[in-house]
Amino acid sequence: MIVVFGIVLALLPRISFFLFLVAFATLGIIDGIAALVIGFSKRRQNPRWWLIALSGVAGLVIAGLIIFAPGLTKITLIYAFAIWAIIVGVTQMLAFFRTRSLRTDWLSLLPAVFSLIIGGYLLLKSSPNVVTDVRFIGLYAIVYGILTFFQALQPARTREAVPQEAPPRHGYD
């Protein structure tokens, strides 16, 4: 699915990014209004009602920024994607080193390393042309999807058996 998403982004960057902005703004408006209504209706029952209402205000502010300052929103979303890719790469690496052996499964590191490289590149060298960055994100999605697909096809490797202590005998021998 991520490969299809990447192809659409790479081939139709303007339309897909515009539709994403419209969908995100719509979500911000609907969620913001709902959170405000819920927050204020729960004033008497919930002492932290204002947190729910505050999240509604945040959603409306984000939606307003998307609608009234789309240039700022585009750049911010590119940076948000870059930070997300870095976080994905770091968490995948941490998970890899906690569960696998580098000697046998080093190919499983490729999606994590790829995410770190792409995220770092977009964060440090973002293009002034958002369409170029969106195409780049589309290519990232295609390559990342292919890497994770082949990672899923790898045979599962088991860790070397760790010798365990024998259970206590309780004197029945």
Side-chain angles (χ1 to χ4, degrees):
M1 188 65 171
I2 193 168
V3 174
V4 173
F5 172 73
I7 291 169
V8 171
L9 275 179
L11 295 178
L12 304 167
R14 292 178 198 271
I15 294 170
S16 55
F17 197 69
F18 173 75
L19 291 175
F20 173 74
L21 289 176
V22 168
F24 197 54
T26 304
L27 173 70
I29 292 169
I30 293 170
D31 185 63
I33 291 171
L36 281 171
V37 169
I38 291 168
F40 280 106
S41 69
K42 300 286 183 185
R43 278 190 309 226
R44 298 191 196 282
Q45 297 105 321
N46 189 346
R48 296 192 180 132
W49 66 270
W50 61 274
L51 289 171
I52 298 168
L54 184 62
S55 75
V57 170
L60 291 173
V61 167
I62 295 297
L65 283 173
I66 292 170
I67 293 167
F68 297 111
L72 175 66
T73 304
K74 290 176 188 175
I75 293 168
T76 303
L77 286 174
I78 298 297
Y79 285 131
F81 177 85
I83 292 167
W84 172 81
I86 291 169
I87 291 170
V88 165
V90 168
T91 56
Q92 285 180 341
M93 282 188 147
L94 291 173
F96 174 85
F97 286 117
R98 296 226 355 118
T99 60
R100 293 186 177 92
S101 167
L102 191 56
R103 286 179 282 135
T104 57
D105 285 343
W106 64 271
L107 286 174
S108 295
L109 266 179
L110 286 180
V113 171
F114 185 66
S115 285
L116 285 171
I117 291 169
I118 298 304
Y121 175 80
L122 282 173
L123 195 62
L124 299 175
K125 183 83 169 128
S126 185
S127 169
N129 183 354
V130 175
V131 173
T132 302
D133 286 342
V134 171
R135 278 198 178 114
F136 196 71
I137 291 170
L139 292 174
Y140 162 81
I142 293 167
V143 173
Y144 183 82
I146 291 169
L147 287 173
T148 54
F149 175 76
F150 283 114
Q151 178 186 3
L153 293 178
Q154 279 187 319
R157 302 204 200 291
T158 57
R159 299 180 96 175
E160 294 178 16
V162 177
Q164 297 187 5
E165 295 179 22
R169 298 246 177 198
H170 302 294
Y172 297 120
D173 284 339

